[in-house]
Amino acid sequence: MKTKKKSITSLYNQWSKDYDQHMEETGHYKAIRKSLDKLHGYIKGNVLDINCGTGESVGYIYTFTNSVKLVVANDFSNSMLNVAKSKINSAIHRT
């Protein structure tokens, strides 16, 4: 089991470089943004993003609301988390 987990983690660590491009090209990010737009008025306070990937959702949330106080983002891929940290920090400093 540990070998399988290491394999999957390694795959996502490698994929982190191209993940955003893939998600844009396949329409996944467009669908996520559309869903978040509908939830706009309800997103406030603390946000928990489990399996945050590259942090696209949390970064997007910061672009349209000032009511988020704390974000906790989690992912099993350290490379994905590093991209997410950068994206979230950029979004926070834009607002």
Side-chain angles (χ1 to χ4, degrees):
M1 183 70 161
K2 284 189 179 190
T3 304
K4 187 174 183 178
K5 183 178 178 183
K6 284 182 182 180
S7 261
I8 293 169
T9 301
S10 177
L11 174 69
Y12 275 89
N13 283 336
Q14 292 171 12
W15 196 21
S16 66
K17 298 172 196 111
D18 303 315
Y19 186 81
D20 285 335
Q21 180 181 347
H22 167 77
M23 295 295 279
E24 280 294 347
E25 289 174 355
T26 58
H28 284 83
Y29 279 163
K30 183 178 180 181
I32 289 169
R33 289 194 280 294
K34 188 174 180 179
S35 297
L36 290 172
D37 285 341
K38 290 181 181 186
L39 297 171
H40 179 270
Y42 301 98
I43 300 173
K44 50 188 144 195
N46 300 332
V47 173
L48 172 62
D49 190 352
I50 298 173
N51 292 327
C52 68
T54 61
E56 182 69 19
S57 297
V58 176
Y60 186 67
I61 288 168
Y62 272 117
T63 65
F64 67 70
T65 183
N66 293 333
S67 59
V68 173
K69 305 298 181 211
L70 172 70
V71 173
V72 176
N74 182 21
D75 201 280
F76 61 87
S77 164
N78 287 331
S79 295
M80 291 280 196
L81 277 174
N82 288 335
V83 175
K85 286 176 193 175
S86 175
K87 215 182 266 190
I88 293 166
N89 284 333
S90 293
I92 290 169
H93 290 82
R94 266 195 315 253
T95 59

